[in-house]
Amino acid sequence: MKIEPNSVVAIHYTLKDDAGEVIDTSVGADALVYLAGAGNIIPGLDRALHGLEAGDTKQVVVEPADGYGEYNDELVQKLPREMFGGIDTIEEGMSFQAKTPEGDVQFVEVVKVEDDGVTVDGNHLLAGKVLNFDISVESVREATESEIEHGHVH
Ligand SMILES: [Zn+2]
């Protein structure tokens, strides 16, 4: 059967940046299993795989807007050290969970540590990047009613 909304799909993928460097791959590990059309994977990839069936392969280029979003300078902030009270050592590359004013949980990464504050970046690691996927479709099946209701694969 062909992939359509509410198909349960297993794929293997290799993700490369524009320089051809492998960023991530499922090859050699478990296939990625997702519910099509349910927001389980980035929208640009979800859409591009519609109509494929088991055994098909496809190269998919996803622009940032259909991937992890554009890089947003406003998500880079310098915070007072007091906000990191209780943490003995703060180093570049550490990541923390932060609460936004709206109450959402967001991951931020420490990019700079100075005496007068700590600069954090809340952008996704892949924000602003063009994503180049090599996809192979391993299997496609219809979702069960409870999978559709829950919006994920069981
Ligand atoms: Zn469930």
Side-chain angles (χ1 to χ4, degrees):
M1 62 177 281
K2 290 188 194 309
I3 297 172
E4 55 185 57
N6 293 329
S7 297
V8 172
V9 185
I11 57 170
H12 273 298
Y13 66 90
T14 296
L15 168 60
K16 294 178 189 156
D17 64 16
D18 269 347
E21 289 286 326
V22 174
I23 299 170
D24 191 15
T25 182
S26 69
V27 175
D30 289 340
L32 172 69
V33 182
Y34 71 97
L35 181 63
N40 290 178
I41 61 173
I42 53 171
L45 187 58
D46 205 338
R47 272 202 305 275
L49 300 182
H50 279 186
L52 299 186
E53 45 194 3
D56 285 349
T57 59
K58 189 173 184 181
Q59 289 189 316
V60 181
V61 179
V62 178
E63 298 295 326
D66 291 322
Y68 293 95
E70 303 289 350
Y71 190 85
N72 182 356
D73 289 329
E74 289 177 13
L75 294 178
V76 180
Q77 285 178 296
K78 192 165 179 176
L79 304 172
R81 287 193 80 116
E82 299 86 79
M83 283 191 67
F84 298 84
I87 300 158
D88 290 336
T89 316
I90 304 167
E91 288 172 340
E92 284 171 29
M94 291 175 88
S95 53
F96 294 94
Q97 274 186 8
K99 271 228 170 86
T100 66
E102 293 79 38
D104 296 324
V105 174
Q106 185 185 37
F107 280 93
V108 299
E109 184 179 322
V110 174
V111 290
K112 206 175 190 185
V113 181
E114 294 163 296
D115 287 339
D116 62 340
V118 177
T119 304
V120 298
D121 186 345
N123 285 287
H124 189 281
L125 202 65
L126 296 176
K129 292 210 160 74
V130 175
L131 309 172
N132 302 279
F133 288 97
D134 287 321
I135 301 293
S136 76
V137 180
E138 304 299 309
S139 67
V140 184
R141 68 166 169 85
E142 281 178 39
T144 63
E145 271 180 39
S146 80
E147 285 173 326
I148 293 170
E149 199 179 308
H150 289 196
H152 58 229
V153 177
H154 288 152

